[in-house]
Amino acid sequence: TCPSAPAWQGGASLAQRHQLANGDAGTDGGWGAFAGAEWLGSPTHSAGLEGNFARYEDFRSGLDVAQLAPRFGLVLASGAEWSLRADTRGYWIHLSDDVGFGRHNFFSAEERLSLLWERWTLGLFGWTGRQVFAARGDGATIYNLPEKHTAGFGVDVKRALSDRAALTLRVSREEFREAGGTATASAQTCLAALGLTF
């Protein structure tokens, strides 16, 4: 028998349209695009790269946001029905214009530990650095306000209901500062999501 070769797995979406109903005239109607690829080196480790681009035509004279997010995953331990996995992700965000923080480039790093057991996944995550107009969750969540996020942490629980459906509950906290402001604020988020694969 021949050893299995490393496999490339990727996906792209070039027409993600984000209609924003938050009353912010500068970013309402902006759009974003996402592309990603993942290298499955073995059952114990993987690596990947995500790219995001967002355009806000009504933000001042127009704002372009480009983001690259490399990631690396490693299984730390495993048993007959469980495994413990660590995933490290970096973020580089480039803005075409200074939105009030004195720079165009922002960097941050995120770490996630996941315990997988049968149909359950328990995750602990945290990140630190600087993010402005970031895209997270494989491009599903775009932060569209001129805020500098500096840290965050949280926990989530995922239950696979079938091969094509999963329910996720997440609680998280973030720290951020608005452009032109001096005080740091925090936001707590509770999220319930049902994911379906077609």
Side-chain angles (χ1 to χ4, degrees):
T1 60
C2 297
S4 60
W8 278 99
Q9 183 182 54
S13 176
L14 301 179
Q16 288 187 8
R17 189 76 176 174
H18 300 271
Q19 298 296 331
L20 307 173
N22 61 359
D24 182 67
T27 59
D28 187 34
W31 60 269
F34 164 81
E38 184 170 10
W39 181 68
L40 305 175
S42 77
T44 61
H45 65 274
S46 63
L49 179 66
E50 296 173 6
N52 289 274
F53 179 82
R55 172 71 176 167
Y56 302 99
E57 297 179 1
D58 296 329
F59 189 88
R60 299 178 183 173
S61 59
L63 177 68
D64 295 330
V65 181
Q67 174 180 299
L68 288 177
R71 64 181 184 271
F72 178 76
L74 179 66
V75 174
L76 302 176
S78 62
E81 297 181 349
W82 64 274
S83 63
L84 179 64
R85 179 182 174 90
D87 289 279
T88 303
R89 186 186 305 249
Y91 292 89
W92 168 61
I93 302 171
H94 175 77
L95 308 183
S96 62
D97 192 13
D98 178 6
V99 299
F101 299 106
R103 61 176 63 200
H104 292 261
N105 296 292
F106 301 86
F107 301 91
S108 59
E110 177 182 353
E111 185 66 31
R112 177 182 176 87
L113 289 176
S114 302
L115 177 62
L116 296 89
W117 174 68
E118 295 183 348
R119 290 183 171 266
W120 293 90
T121 303
L122 172 64
L124 300 173
F125 57 90
W127 71 270
T128 186
R130 296 182 178 94
Q131 292 185 356
V132 178
F133 284 97
R136 296 193 213 147
D138 298 328
T141 303
I142 291 185
Y143 291 80
N144 63 299
L145 298 176
E147 302 168 339
K148 181 172 69 174
H149 293 247
T150 55
F153 61 91
V155 60
D156 56 29
V157 178
K158 180 179 178 181
R159 163 71 174 172
L161 305 176
S162 69
D163 292 339
R164 296 180 177 267
L167 177 65
T168 302
L169 302 176
R170 177 178 298 122
V171 178
S172 61
R173 176 186 172 96
E174 288 209 12
E175 295 184 353
F176 65 94
R177 180 170 62 86
E178 295 181 0
T182 57
T184 298
S186 63
Q188 292 78 33
T189 304
C190 297
L191 173 71
L194 177 63
L196 301 174
T197 302
F198 298 97

